Amino acid sequence: MSQRLVNTPRRIFLRSAGAGAAALVASPLVQAALGDRSTVDVTEGPYFVDEMLNRSDIRIDPTDGSTQAGLLLLLTVTVSSLNSTTGVVTPLPNAMVDIWHCNALGLYSDVSANSTVGKKFLRGYQLTDKQGKTRFKTIYPGWYSGRSPHIHCKVRQVPVGSSGQTTSLTTQFFFDETLSQLVYTDSNLPYYTHGLPDQPHATDQVYQGSNSCVQGAVAGDSLKLQVARTTQYASARFDILIDTGARCSSTETGMTGGGPGGTGGPGGPGGMPPPTPPTP
């Protein structure tokens, strides 16, 4: 892959390991390499429910106090505004970052198709701090037929002097497939009985969707999480960049529409049929 197509969040992640990176990250303005692009908007899918759950630990279902089983995932999402003309990145404080995803067996909460109406597990939001950061405690997501493993994310910003919310970006995060295979084949984890995903990145219509900012590129290549795993947990991060004047959108493979924030067609996320409860 050429340097121009390297995932922007990955380049920022790698730079942070260098000397003096901490001072740069803490600064109100961070000079990014020219060529950085706005994070690509992809389909929201039909399973976003605006539960308004302000919490960092989304494993717990507040309706009954139960905790979703799975490999602990510590997820950091940083949100910044980007001027892709000058290359200046500015941390975006007080932005509302929602994440939601399925459990170890591929089920979403509060979805009639999954017989989980009223449940609220694996959903929640956090407000970004002065450095544009949010932190979540969740589990490594499972999978359901028709999609490769992913986490949904929606960023909303309240404009200064306004009481209304403006949707800034809707996207999805993907995982390294080798790591997912290791997690799903671990007999000590609840994913084991569900087996391996039936949809790789190569045929996932959201992952393989276009990226309007990079000719010939697919959306998913720029949406992979940076993940490190120990025996007890995994940690992941993603740096979202939003250039309001140069947005990057995606049209899914096999779809005639499905631009940023759309539903991606009827059925489940990405236009696929809604997932059904798996057989252990």
Side-chain angles (χ1 to χ4, degrees), residues 19-270:
L24 286 175
V25 172
S27 173
L29 295 177
V30 179
Q31 186 68 39
L34 289 175
D36 285 347
R37 299 178 178 88
S38 189
T39 299
V40 63
D41 285 80
V42 302
T43 181
E44 174 187 287
Y47 295 148
F48 173 64
V49 183
D50 205 0
E51 307 280 12
M52 295 300 293
L53 294 169
N54 185 351
R55 58 187 187 153
S56 59
D57 190 343
I58 68 170
R59 299 173 302 165
I60 301 170
D61 191 326
T63 65
D64 58 14
S66 62
T67 299
Q68 286 294 305
L71 178 67
L72 174 63
L73 178 65
L74 305 177
L75 174 63
T76 299
V77 178
T78 302
V79 184
S80 303
S81 64
L82 166 70
N83 184 323
S84 55
T85 301
T86 63
V88 173
V89 173
T90 308
L92 189 62
N94 205 40
M96 184 178 182
V97 179
D98 265 286
I99 65 168
W100 68 103
H101 61 84
C102 67
N103 67 7
L105 297 181
L107 302 180
Y108 284 85
S109 65
D110 216 0
V111 171
S112 58
N114 289 179
S115 301
T116 56
V117 172
K119 300 298 183 181
K120 300 182 185 298
F121 57 81
L122 303 179
R123 297 181 182 274
Y125 80 89
Q126 287 282 278
L127 295 177
T128 55
D129 63 17
K130 292 180 180 180
Q131 284 74 47
K133 292 185 181 296
T134 60
R135 295 175 176 86
F136 295 91
K137 184 179 289 185
T138 185
I139 63 168
Y140 201 97
W143 63 275
Y144 52 89
S145 184
R147 289 298 315 278
S148 60
H150 61 279
I151 291 177
H152 296 266
C153 180
K154 179 188 290 288
V155 178
R156 290 176 283 184
Q157 183 184 11
V158 180
V160 176
S162 172
S163 59
Q165 290 179 329
T166 299
T167 300
S168 298
L169 179 137
T170 302
T171 195
Q172 297 181 25
F173 305 140
F174 293 90
F175 292 82
D176 177 80
E177 290 182 292
T178 300
L179 175 59
S180 291
Q181 184 174 15
L182 292 173
V183 171
Y184 297 151
T185 57
D186 188 334
S187 60
N188 296 311
L189 295 172
Y191 314 92
Y192 184 74
T193 58
H194 192 36
L196 293 173
D198 63 5
Q199 198 74 222
H201 292 340
T203 52
D204 183 281
Q205 65 186 50
V206 177
Y207 188 99
Q208 291 295 323
S210 63
N211 182 340
S212 66
C213 290
V214 186
Q215 185 175 4
V218 297
D221 283 347
S222 65
L223 297 176
K224 286 184 179 179
L225 287 164
Q226 298 301 314
V227 185
R229 185 193 174 188
T230 71
T231 56
Q232 300 298 319
Y233 68 93
S235 60
R237 63 172 293 170
F238 195 93
D239 294 340
I240 290 175
L241 300 178
I242 302 175
D243 186 339
T244 56
R247 302 297 291 270
C248 301
S249 61
S250 178
T251 299
E252 299 168 34
T253 58
M255 300 296 293
T256 57
T263 62

